[in-house]
Structure formats: C-alpha cells, structure tokens
C-alpha cells in the first residue's frame, strides 16, 4: 500500500492515507461473479474473459473510492472562486451499491436544509453494461432518481418520495464509468437522509446518503412591495405586489418565503456585506427552484450562490429599501439606489438562424452606467461595467473578458448602425440578469407569442 500512500500525499489528501481493505476488494469480485467457490472455478475455466472484466470493474470501483477521497472537495463543481470556506461541511465518504450490471457510487456530498450537492459515478460491471454505458441514450429521464422519506400524513412508514434535481456530466479517466454532479435543489422539507438510485439497476438498489446541513440564518422580514414583474403582461402589473415573509441564508443557498398573486413575480433582494458594500441578487445568486400555491398565494423561491458565502461576510438583507441585520437587531431604512433598478432595452434580431434575439451592446453598457468605446482601426468595441471589460468584434465569436478569451455561441454583428451580441457574455462577466419580455395571446394551436424588449436587472 506504500504506493497508494504516496499517491494520497502527492494529491494533497487530508489527514492520513485511507488505506484499502483487500477483503473488501475480494468481496466485490465475488459479488460481481455472483457464485460460490465451486461454481466459480468452472465459470472461470469457461468464461475467463468475463471474469477479467468483472475483476477490472472491481478494481475500477476501488480506484473510484480512492479518487473520491482524493477529490475530497467537490464544491468547485457548483461554486466559483475560492471554495475553501465550505470544506468543513463536506462529507467525503464514498458510498457504493452494486448490482448485476452496474455499481453506483456517491463520492461525496454537501448541503443545507433544503439543498444537497453530490458527485456520483456509475460503473459498468458486465459486457452489456460496458457497451451501453457510453450509448447516446444512456442519459435519459430515468437514469437517476433522488428519493427522500415521505412526510405526508397518510404516508406509510418507510415510504419514499422522489424530489427534483439537476445534473451535469463530468469528465472521468475511467473507461467503464461515467461521472456526474447531482444537486437536489429545493427539497420540500429538511431531511437527515436521502437516497440516490440508478434506473438501470435492480429495484431496491440505492445509495443512502446522510445529510448534515451546514448552518443557516433566517431573517424575519414581513414587508410588502413591488417585485420584479417583467415576466407578466402589461395588463397585469398590479400582480407584481408580493409580501416577503422571511429570507434564509446558508453558505450555499438563499431561500425566500413569500406571498404573491402570480408565480411570475420575483423578489428583488440585496445583501449588505460586512465591508459595507452592496451586492445584488443578480450578482451573487441564480434561481434553482420554487413553488407557488394559487389558493393561499404561498410562494417560495430557491437560489444557489455563485460563490460560497460565509455568513460572517453578510451583515444584512435589504428588501424594499429597508435593511434587516442578520443578528436580529432592528431594521433600518436605506436610500434607494436608482442605478440598480430594472430597465428595458431594445430587442435586436437573432445573430443566426434558429438563435435567440440579441442585445444592443452600446445601449446596454451605457444604461447600466458603464463606459463604451470603439477602436475603428481594430474594428473592436470595449465596454466596462463593475470593473470588468468586455472586448467584442463583429464577425468574431471570441470575446475578451479582462483579457481572457471567452467563446460565444454566435459572433456579434452590426445591426441598425450598432453592434449586437448575444446576452450570455454580459450575464457571466457582469453579474446581471437579462431576460426578454413576452406575452402569450390566445389558447391552444391559435396561441401567439408576442415578444417585447429585453428586461435588465443589474
């Protein structure tokens, strides 16, 4: 095991090397063969090739468990920037369940009361599975399931219910494996255990994942005002009023409980940081889920922070021009910052057939309060906002963001005497929210979508 000890230390693994139990490896080989000693001898004589595949799969599983411990910090798959402040909440123990054709491993997890983030590997254990695991239709609606204990009044003891989740495939060095990040976003209630399943495994095969929530702070608000109603038609502006009851913050997420007349209404939240600066909702978080109940108007909104937030770095939540300290002290009014209000800009034509609408670069930059300049000799425009400069060129899909090359979906183009570009580069670089207004007229096959202008939330 000395070589593995060296690998552990070279990879910067925490604490002492974990070691590998040869008895567990042998047990996995036996489980993969699914036979007793006498039958196995005959099986190995006749089916040596299959045995070697099963043994190789067991070794792959062993390697995956070791790699999971080396990759003990899965936070970088979900959060930008320095993730070191969240490491203390990571459960880095690898947990595996094996079936006839596949093994499912949850390499590690981290979360709070309403969200759990995991890194998951599926490993093929048979020739059939090895062929299928890389097929185009391997990823489907039933590839994964995440279950939590049911808490409905009529639920039977031990019954489970599925919950929503998001997933994204990750790169892996293992030929017989595929690796994913899974996030159980917006759990219906806090749980101490959840279960991860693969739809290609036998019924009842699932990995049990204990949930130890990171600490959180709940701020009582109880204030009403106008939310972001840009998703509503002009005739329904009165529906933009909502009552925000409370805001809960953890290092990873923000949860808002409110009452709203429409599910299209969104809250506008600001954070007062400990250094006195203000960060907008668009800058620091992205929406991951929510729920609206028409009868009671009870509404919840779930967001994931783009970067991990230490609760000590947040001094207060600002809602409807009033500041609510995290320490529970008295709220105070704050002066309204008009530069952070939503506004609209013109909708420009698509940059390619089948693509979405584009935005006018100069108008967007100047309405945000940024600076815009042109270099006619180079055919470039430079636009700066929040200290980040984006350089664009008509016909060139590569943008420069503070000097770093960023590939866009489509090249900018001249329209109506000015440069038009796709919205994504501005969303990512400047931390703004851009969505286009639309209204559905009519019902069924006769329905028509009427597109409006771009709505911008700084």
């Amino acid at each position: 095991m000395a070589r593995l000890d060296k690998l552990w230390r070279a990879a910067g693994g925490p604490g002492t090397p974990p070691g590998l139990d040869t008895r567990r490896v042998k047990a996995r080989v036996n489980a993969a063969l699914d036979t007793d000693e006498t039958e196995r001898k005959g099986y190995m004589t006749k089916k040596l090739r299959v045995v070697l595949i099963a043994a190789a799969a067991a070794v792959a599983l062993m390697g995956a468990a070791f790699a999971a411990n080396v990759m003990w910090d899965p936070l970088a798959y979900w959060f930008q920037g320095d993730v070191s402040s969240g490491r203390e909440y990571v459960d880095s123990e690898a947990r595996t369940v094996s079936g006839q054709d596949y093994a499912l491993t949850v390499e590690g997890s981290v979360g709070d009361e309403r969200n759990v983030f995991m890194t998951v590997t599926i490993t093929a254990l048979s020739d059939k599975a090895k062929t299928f695991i890389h097929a185009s239709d391997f990823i489907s609606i039933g590839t994964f399931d995440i279950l939590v204990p049911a808490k409905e009044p009529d639920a039977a003891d031990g019954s489970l219910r599925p919950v929503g989740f998001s997933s994204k495939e990750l790169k892996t060095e293992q030929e017989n494996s595929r690796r994913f990040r899974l996030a159980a976003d917006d759990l219906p209630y806090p749980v101490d255990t959840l279960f991860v399943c693969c739809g290609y495994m036998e019924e009842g095969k699932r990995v049990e994942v204990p949930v130890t929530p990171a600490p959180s702070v709940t701020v009582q608000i109880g204030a009403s005002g106008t939310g972001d109603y840009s998703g509503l038609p002009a005739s329904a502006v009165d529906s933009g009023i909502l009552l925000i009851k409370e805001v809960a913050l953890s290092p990873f997420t923000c949860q808002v409980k409110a009452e709203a007349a429409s599910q299209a209404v969104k809250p506008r939240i600001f954070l007062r940081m400990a250094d006195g600066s203000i960060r907008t909702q668009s800058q620091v978080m992205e929406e991951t889920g929510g729920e609206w109940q028409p009868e009671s108007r009870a509404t919840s909104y779930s967001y994931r922070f783009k970067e991990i937030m230490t609760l000590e770095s947040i001094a207060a939540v600002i809602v409807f021009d009033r500041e609510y300290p995290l320490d529970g002290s008295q709220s105070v009014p704050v002066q309204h910052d008009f530069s952070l209000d939503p506004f609209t800009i013109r909708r420009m034509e698509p940059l390619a057939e089948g693509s979405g609408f584009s935005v006018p670069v100069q108008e967007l930059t100047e309405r945000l309060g940024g600076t815009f300049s042109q270099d006619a000799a180079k055919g470039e425009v430079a636009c700066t906002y929040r200290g980040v400069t984006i350089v664009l060129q008509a016909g060139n899909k590569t943008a420069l963001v503070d000097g770093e090359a960023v590939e866009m979906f489509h090249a900018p183009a001249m329209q109506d005497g000015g440069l038009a570009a796709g919205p994504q580069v501005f969303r990512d670089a400047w931390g703004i929210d851009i969505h286009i207004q639309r209204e559905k007229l009519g019902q069924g096959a006769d329905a028509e979508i009427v597109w409006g202008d771009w709505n911008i939330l700084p």
Side-chain angles (χ1 to χ4, degrees), residues 102 122 132-140 143 178 180 198 200:
Y102 298 96
I122 301 178
F132 180 57
I133 199 170
H134 293 293
S136 59
D137 55 347
F138 180 80
I139 305 302
S140 68
T143 303
R178 292 182 76 165
F180 304 83
C198 172
Y200 301 116

Side-chain angles (χ1 to χ4, degrees), residues 426-446:
F426 304 105
R427 283 194 185 106
D428 295 341
W430 290 346
I432 61 176
D433 187 13
I434 306 178
H435 56 271
I436 201 161
Q437 297 173 322
R438 68 173 190 171
E439 185 171 358
K440 183 178 179 181
L441 302 178
Q443 299 291 330
D446 296 328

